[in-house]
Amino acid sequence: MSNVQIPLAEMRSIYRVADVERALEEPSSQRNESLSAYYEKMRKLGGERYLVKPSSLTGLDPLYESCPNFGPVIDDLKKYLALAVSGNEPMHFTPILLLGKPGIGKTHFARCLAQALGTHHEFVPMNSLTAGWVLSGASSQWNHAKAGKVAQTLIDGEYANPVIVLDEVDKAGGDARYDPMGALYGLLEHDTARHFKDEFVDINIDASHVLWVATANDDAPMPEPILNRMNVYEVPPPDFDQAVAIATALYQDIVREHDWGFSDDAPQSVIDKLAGLPPRDMRKTLLAAFGNAKLDRRDHLLPADIDAVRHQRGKPRMGF
């Protein structure tokens, strides 16, 4: 019998349609066309979104297999899960900061967490942020202004409690006048996040149910007030046995997702080859290896399929 846990959901208002209609009644000279169009979309979509609630104390257990080097993080998250199930409430946890070397699976863990909770995840590469408005929007008075990532995720998505991943948050930079971290001071606090106001949308949005996961290689560049709002975890690289578990889980996930004719169980020699790679590289290597096998008219992988991908990636890039 399958051990699938089905999350429950209720509807929760993240903004009031009456506020949107009131904004639309203001003279059009006070807003640009893109804002008017966005208000119309908000009115059409309505302010209700799914608020997912966990249904079982074992809902996070698959993470121990798919992300074995994140055991202490999962252990702590299960405490919040127990409270949510006990109170028949949505799961809420203190924002998480995952510290560790590149490629150890931090972003993969956040994706798996969202999947386990039955909600959406939004990936925000903080190393590309040069201004705070990427998270919290820019005033509609600016040319080409638009809503920030938080408002977009909540308004355009289906869920009131998505997982938002702030990747490489220690590399956020830019003009000090437009601090990319500035919006987080309010967003990471539950009470102030209930009345989040995107600079573009300029209407109160309830962002208090967002589940925050940040990743970083080093916490030294980060402001102390931000760190104080987070639970910080040092994540080690997986050892060989953990890497084998990650590779096995990834192989099985890909095989289940596609009807390519491969066996549910990979040869151990292939898994051992994959285990020598950083978790970040395993999925793309596997996909290319499956392609190598199909080009060779095979429905099973060989260690040579992995070696061929690694050899190709080791070659210098062609330039024109």
Side-chain angles (χ1 to χ4, degrees):
M1 182 175 178
S2 176
N3 188 31
V4 176
Q5 306 297 335
I6 302 176
L8 307 174
E10 62 184 47
M11 300 302 291
R12 184 65 57 91
S13 177
I14 62 166
Y15 62 85
R16 298 175 66 243
V17 174
D19 291 342
V20 178
E21 292 174 338
R22 191 176 302 112
L24 279 168
E25 290 171 359
E26 294 179 356
S28 57
S29 60
Q30 297 182 18
R31 61 179 183 275
N32 61 32
E33 291 183 6
S34 60
L35 179 56
S36 295
Y38 206 68
Y39 281 156
E40 289 290 354
K41 180 171 73 169
M42 290 175 68
R43 179 162 64 178
K44 181 178 180 180
L45 290 172
E48 302 285 306
R49 298 294 182 273
Y50 292 114
L51 189 62
V52 179
K53 300 186 293 185
S55 60
S56 168
L57 291 172
T58 61
L60 297 180
D61 287 359
L63 296 181
Y64 286 111
E65 181 177 351
S66 60
C67 308
N69 51 324
F70 289 79
V73 186
I74 303 167
D75 290 344
D76 275 0
L77 287 174
K78 289 191 71 173
K79 300 171 187 175
Y80 295 98
L81 177 68
L83 293 173
V85 172
S86 175
N88 189 28
E89 301 167 351
M91 184 171 171
H92 186 272
F93 52 79
T94 301
I96 291 172
L97 175 61
L98 304 174
L99 292 177
K101 296 179 180 179
I104 62 172
K106 299 186 294 291
T107 306
H108 172 68
F109 170 78
R111 186 181 301 113
C112 290
L113 174 61
Q115 184 178 10
L117 295 176
T119 188
H120 170 69
H121 91 279
E122 182 69 25
F123 180 83
V124 183
M126 295 290 284
N127 61 351
S128 67
L129 295 190
T130 57
W133 57 67
V134 178
L135 279 178
S136 57
S139 169
S140 60
Q141 303 302 315
W142 292 79
N143 290 331
H144 309 297
K146 61 180 181 179
K149 285 285 189 179
V150 176
Q152 288 178 30
T153 301
L154 292 170
I155 294 170
D156 299 343
E158 298 180 22
Y159 299 96
N161 56 342
V163 173
I164 295 185
V165 183
L166 305 175
D167 192 52
E168 295 190 316
V169 71
D170 53 326
K171 294 183 173 61
D175 191 325
R177 294 173 300 170
Y178 309 110
D179 180 8
M181 307 285 278
L184 293 178
Y185 291 97
L187 284 167
L188 298 183
E189 292 283 3
H190 186 268
D191 290 342
T192 52
R194 291 176 60 190
H195 306 288
F196 169 66
K197 187 168 284 190
D198 182 272
E199 291 288 332
F200 179 75
V201 177
D202 199 30
I203 285 172
N204 281 341
I205 297 173
D206 185 355
S208 63
H209 298 288
V210 171
L211 303 172
W212 295 96
V213 177
T215 75
N217 299 331
D218 180 13
D219 63 353
M222 297 181 59
E224 194 65 29
I226 295 293
L227 290 174
N228 289 339
R229 289 164 165 79
M230 295 179 161
N231 282 341
V232 182
Y233 300 90
E234 293 266 4
V235 181
D239 60 27
F240 182 76
D241 289 341
Q242 292 173 336
V244 165
I246 294 170
T248 301
L250 279 172
Y251 174 92
Q252 293 172 344
D253 285 347
I254 293 172
V255 167
R256 281 194 295 264
E257 290 170 1
H258 303 280
D259 189 19
W260 292 338
F262 290 93
S263 169
D264 290 342
D265 298 311
Q268 190 60 46
S269 56
V270 170
I271 294 298
D272 289 346
K273 284 279 185 182
L274 281 171
L277 298 174
R280 176 172 60 187
D281 295 336
M282 287 183 186
R283 175 176 287 272
K284 57 187 177 184
T285 299
L286 262 176
L287 290 171
F290 282 127
N292 286 336
K294 282 299 181 182
L295 286 174
D296 203 30
R297 301 183 184 281
R298 285 183 281 107
D299 291 334
H300 61 278
L301 291 185
L302 299 174
D305 296 319
I306 307 296
D307 288 335
V309 178
R310 298 177 68 178
H311 175 69
Q312 183 64 35
R313 292 206 171 120
K315 290 183 177 181
R317 295 182 181 179
M318 296 179 65
F320 297 94

